[in-house]
């Protein structure tokens, strides 16, 4: 006998969780669709040549690699094995599991460049796998929900990203969040004006920790990374940026007067804000945060991050503009902008808020009970009629004790039960029991159909 | 530069294919839900201890195995390597990719036996992976869509499987198919009455090929497998079974008088037919086919298979009753019955029939064109209004040449375009262009909203 378990860092999602997760997926997907994004799916496995070198050295380590099929060891001699895991891996594993949705998307765009109509808007909602050390809120298998537009540098796309974020969080019922926005050229400009031109990467790594370790520790880290006292002092206005969005923009422009790149970044973000207002969207949850860096090095323009204002969940969404994502696959100069939502963290936030709609728990809407086989047969055409009307319905599969059947309905959160007994079969009047209220009444089938309403597809 | 490609036997699904595939997924899912089935998802990776030995020796070979993370080679000495691929695999790979949805489901049920309300109805729609040699119609990554009820032996469940098959194929627009039904106890009974008791496994392997190789070759194979001339001769009435369903049942009963198991199988199938008729479902596409065997050894009762009547696609759905699926995981005597739909083959059948609904191709319903930035800004609140009404809408992200914008809409099969120019901004009358007809008319926004209707979620 095999003692059953799931691999470390992976999870089963039973019906209760699935119904809630699907509410999140549906809300995100429906918004992506309303914005004209089209679905894409890529294989779980990618060639390691596609994945390696795209996520840094640490990322390469965290890729799940798939052992070649067949007699993978046949071609290898002892010297190969002796070289150790790292050297032998490429000889016995050609494929790996997808690490994110961005690299497979870039590969897809490069492979299909001649068939794709640009600007290309795609969404993709699939699991990714990382051999990270599992811990609370960090899994080895988790879903990403991405939307990207590639093939245009238009800032209308940034404004649409903002619009989608606001609508999705509104649809999910998460009102209290901050949408932090920054621009990579602003960060480059800051590095330039403090006299550390080209060192914005290292500057960002340190500044990115501000939320976690505080200003003093960030300053200390900058010093350790070789930033001069003068450079660190010149960063003061960056840490002290404040006031309204307009005031922040003004302070930034004053700071960046000598940096063309920096001023271009400011100008672009001002346009994003303006386009958002032009769309009639509220902007009070948008925050110009010049300490937002976002680790991924491929961003070149605006960057986004969403954090709930309460709890310790961290960011639930992030993204930005990139100029050369497909370059690694031989397709240069394709600018794009994208956003990614993390379903697992959104789930945790919504659980904490008790934010899932109650009627999404109800999957089966009505269940027939029956005392004997004859009553069961009597229920069959009625069952078919209900399902034909789009109502989720079932017949308890075994006749017998009513209590057992009602217990089942209760445990499954079925809101209505129809009792079929000899009375019901004689009169054609059905007994409809409201499981929450405990009340019951006699109704014709037509009346039952009027009480129960068809539901949409929840998946 | 990496030359981009996908691993052998795997595929990308671009927007056109995804929209069609999602039509299939939605139709299946919606039917599963109407029948009271609840969603379950399990991890892509399972421990190899869960997977190995469940699919026969060939299946073990076809499992994709995942290389252990970290320094997997550290603990190994030269003798380990010398033992060859098969012996070294368990030492360097603990996990494998899901091969089907049935074993992970059985594991889930066994692990969660105390929380689950039985009878447990679950559906599961996820990809599976097999290291098969890729060929036309056979892939290394493909989706299965399964629905199972476990924890009851009620034949109402078999009747519901029949009902779901009929409704799903109806919903997909595949009218011309045969639903073959048989029973493992009938096969056991036949083996007994021909004097080959207990050899029904071997008998089935041969008989299963009837469609492909013909009766003479099946008889020859049976002889090679050690079936006596007498036994093979006694099989004649099995091959010659014919007439109406009632006649077939009568012939079978005459044949199986001496086999209790066989007669029980016949009785159960008669009930399934009766319950189907009681439900008001048409039964003319159901065929009692005693040569249907279905390879999987875990079936113990009724078995099902669906084949389109035209084309060479093979079966698009199959399933049956099993009595001890969870036994391997320490949970005995849990009877269940399930059905699985193969999305890839259904896709091929529907493509051949030209059977996808046209309006599922249309993803974006309306697109705004704009001549300059001012017109773009004018469109933004209108865009928001359309999306708020549940309409999939987009704004071409760059102002400029109308032709380029209309070409994009054409290539993306967008049915309507709204042209924004100086006239439109002055009068508030929008120009709505029907892209298929080539006609255009001036409408207010309220009129546009009346022409365009919101769509459901297609994922």
């Amino acid at each position: 006998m095999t003692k059953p378990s799931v691999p470390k860092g992976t999870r089963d999602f039973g019906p209760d969780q699935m119904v809630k997760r699907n509410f999140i997926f549906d809300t995100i997907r429906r918004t992506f669709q309303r914005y004209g994004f089209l679905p894409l799916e890529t294989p779980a496995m990618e060639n390691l040549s596609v994945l390696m070198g795209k996520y840094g050295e640490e990322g390469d380590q965290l890729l799940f690699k798939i052992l070649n099929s067949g007699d993978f060891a046949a071609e290898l001699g002892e010297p190969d094995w002796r070289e150790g895991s790292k050297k032998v891996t490429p000889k016995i594993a050609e494929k790996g599991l997808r690490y994110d949705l961005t690299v497979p998307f870039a590969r897809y765009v490069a492979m299909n460049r001649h068939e794709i109509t640009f600007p290309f808007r795609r969404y993709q909602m699939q699991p990714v796998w990382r051999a990270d050390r599992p811990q609370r809120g960090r899994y080895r298998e988790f879903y990403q929900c991405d939307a990207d537009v590639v093939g245009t540098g238009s800032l209308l796309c940034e404004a649409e990203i903002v619009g989608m974020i606001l609508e999705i969080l509104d649809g999910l019922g998460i009102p209290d969040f901050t949408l932090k926005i920054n621009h990579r050229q602003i960060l480059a400009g800051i590095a330039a004006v403090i006299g550390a031109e080209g060192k914005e990467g290292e500057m960002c790594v340190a500044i990115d920790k501000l939320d976690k370790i505080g200003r003093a520790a960030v300053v200390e880290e900058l010093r350790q990374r070789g930033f001069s006292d003068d450079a660190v002092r010149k960063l003061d206005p960056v840490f002290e940026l404040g006031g309204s969005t307009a005031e922040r923009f003004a302070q930034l422009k004053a700071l960046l007067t000598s940096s063309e790149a920096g001023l271009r970044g400011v100008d672009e973000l001002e346009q994003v804000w303006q386009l958002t207002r032009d769309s009639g969207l509220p902007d009070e949850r948008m925050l110009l945060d010049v300490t937002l860096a976002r680790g991924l090095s491929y961003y070149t323009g605006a960057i986004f991050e969403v954090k709930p204002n309460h709890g310790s969940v961290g960011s639930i969404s992030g993204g930005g503009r990139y100029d050369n994502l497909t370059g690694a696959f031989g397709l240069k100069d394709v600018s794009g902008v994208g956003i990614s939502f993390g379903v697992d963290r959104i789930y945790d936030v919504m659980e904490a808020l008790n934010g899932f709609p109650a009627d999404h728990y109800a999957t089966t809407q009505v269940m027939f009970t029956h005392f004997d086989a004859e009553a069961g047969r009597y229920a069959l055409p009625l069952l078919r009629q209900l399902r034909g009307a789009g109502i989720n319905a079932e017949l308890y599969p075994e006749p017998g004790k009513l209590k057992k059947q009602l217990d089942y309905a209760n445990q499954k959160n079925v809101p209505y039960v129809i009792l079929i007994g000899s009375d019901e079969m004689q009169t054609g009047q059905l007994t409809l029991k409201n499981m929450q209220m405990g009340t019951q009444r006699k109704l014709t089938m037509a009346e039952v159909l009027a009480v129960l309403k068809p539901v949409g597809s929840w998946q």
Side-chain angles (χ1 to χ4, degrees), chain A:
Chain A
M1 192 201 92
T2 318
K3 171 122 175 82
S5 67
V6 295
K8 211 167 48 167
T10 72
R11 298 159 292 166
D12 290 319
F13 298 107
D16 287 352
Q17 289 160 296
M18 278 303 295
V19 170
K20 293 178 188 175
R21 285 171 67 86
N22 284 339
F23 174 72
I24 300 172
F25 285 121
D26 287 351
T27 303
I28 295 171
R29 184 188 297 115
R30 195 63 200 95
T31 300
F32 286 166
Q33 290 174 342
R34 271 203 307 270
Y35 277 74
F37 288 79
L38 299 174
L40 173 71
E41 281 188 12
T42 63
M45 297 186 269
E46 292 276 352
N47 291 317
L48 282 174
S49 56
V50 165
L51 300 176
M52 297 286 281
K54 307 302 188 300
Y55 307 106
E57 202 174 330
E58 199 199 338
D60 285 353
Q61 296 292 320
L62 298 184
L63 290 169
F64 279 110
K65 287 141 194 129
I66 294 162
L67 208 49
N68 293 343
S69 315
D71 191 5
F72 61 86
E75 305 281 301
L76 296 178
E78 278 174 33
D80 293 306
W81 295 124
R82 270 204 220 100
E83 285 179 320
S85 300
K86 220 166 164 178
K87 289 259 174 83
V88 85
T89 298
K91 295 174 182 168
I92 61 174
E94 282 168 6
K95 295 180 289 290
L97 292 180
R98 180 169 63 215
Y99 182 90
D100 71 359
L101 303 179
T102 308
V103 167
F105 172 56
R107 175 197 50 73
Y108 175 85
V109 170
M111 272 175 73
N112 297 277
R113 64 186 85 171
H114 302 301
E115 290 75 46
I116 289 172
T117 308
F118 293 97
F120 180 48
R121 297 169 170 241
R122 85 87 174 78
Y123 72 85
Q124 190 168 356
M125 302 171 63
Q126 292 191 281
V128 301
W129 296 270
R130 297 182 186 178
D132 251 322
R133 190 186 304 270
Q135 51 181 268
R136 197 176 158 278
R138 190 193 284 173
Y139 306 101
R140 293 184 148 195
E141 175 180 65
F142 57 97
Y143 265 82
Q144 292 191 333
C145 302
D146 284 21
D148 290 81
V149 198
V150 293
T152 173
S154 168
L155 293 171
L156 282 167
C157 301
E158 271 83 344
E160 296 215 310
I161 298 275
V162 170
M164 290 199 293
I165 289 171
L166 298 178
E167 284 187 28
I168 285 170
L169 293 179
D170 192 42
L172 293 172
I174 305 177
D176 201 7
F177 63 89
T178 301
L179 165 51
K180 298 180 178 185
I181 304 179
N182 197 6
H183 198 291
R184 275 289 161 94
Q185 299 306 317
I186 291 177
L187 290 167
I190 290 171
V193 300
I194 68 168
E197 192 157 13
K199 287 184 75 180
E200 67 263 30
E202 286 195 75
M203 185 183 84
C204 289
V205 170
I207 288 184
D208 212 21
K209 299 178 185 162
L210 186 65
D211 265 7
K212 281 185 197 143
I213 61 178
R215 180 169 165 183
V218 168
V219 164
E220 181 50 35
E221 179 166 338
L222 285 168
R223 286 221 174 80
Q224 279 174 10
R225 286 175 180 273
F227 285 73
S228 69
D229 286 355
D230 183 53
V232 170
R233 198 164 47 243
K234 282 184 175 158
L235 266 180
D236 283 349
V238 171
F239 289 119
E240 284 153 19
L241 209 72
S244 70
T245 304
E247 285 161 356
R248 285 164 186 252
F249 276 128
Q251 291 162 43
L252 259 186
K253 278 191 239 180
L255 183 69
L256 295 171
T257 38
S258 65
S259 164
E260 203 186 315
L263 289 176
R264 197 168 54 241
V266 174
D267 175 59
E268 289 199 357
L269 290 194
E270 283 189 307
Q271 286 189 57
V272 172
W273 250 267
Q274 186 55 49
L275 291 167
T276 304
R277 282 189 293 262
D278 288 342
S279 299
L281 288 164
D283 68 352
E284 69 267 15
R285 284 166 300 188
M286 293 164 66
L287 178 70
L288 173 63
D289 181 352
V290 292
T291 69
L292 175 68
R294 292 203 53 81
L296 287 167
S297 56
Y298 53 71
Y299 292 126
T300 51
I303 46 181
F304 305 98
E305 193 169 277
V306 180
K307 277 193 180 168
N309 290 341
H310 304 291
S312 55
V313 162
S315 76
I316 54 176
S317 176
R321 177 169 290 278
Y322 39 81
D323 279 333
N324 198 22
L325 202 60
T326 55
F329 303 109
L331 181 61
K332 302 276 181 215
D333 302 323
V334 176
S335 186
V337 58
I339 187 76
S340 182
F341 290 86
V343 169
D344 298 277
R345 287 185 172 180
I346 290 174
Y347 186 98
D348 291 344
V349 171
M350 290 183 66
E351 276 288 45
L353 290 171
N354 207 1
F356 289 101
D359 61 352
H360 273 269
Y361 292 83
T363 43
T364 295
Q365 296 167 271
V366 60
M367 189 190 88
F368 287 89
T369 65
H370 58 133
F371 297 99
D372 55 23
E374 195 197 343
R377 277 196 300 278
Y378 184 86
L380 289 174
L382 304 176
L383 193 58
R384 188 169 172 233
Q385 212 179 328
L386 285 166
R387 288 169 176 164
I391 291 163
N392 298 344
E394 62 184 282
L395 167 63
Y396 190 85
E398 290 164 6
K401 286 207 177 123
L402 186 60
K403 187 180 176 305
K404 189 179 174 192
Q405 300 185 41
L406 292 179
D407 282 352
Y408 169 89
N410 256 329
Q411 276 158 28
K412 207 173 161 176
N413 287 316
V414 180
Y416 289 99
V417 162
I418 297 175
L419 309 157
I420 305 278
S422 49
D423 266 18
E424 284 77 7
M425 289 190 280
Q426 259 166 32
T427 63
Q429 291 261 320
L430 305 169
T431 302
L432 183 73
K433 188 177 174 73
N434 180 321
M435 294 296 284
Q436 211 185 340
M437 315 285 282
T439 55
Q440 57 186 57
R441 44 186 179 149
K442 297 255 181 193
L443 297 174
T444 64
M445 188 60 184
E447 289 165 337
V448 169
L449 281 164
V451 172
L452 303 169
K453 296 208 168 41
V455 292
S457 170
W458 305 323
Q459 308 127 48

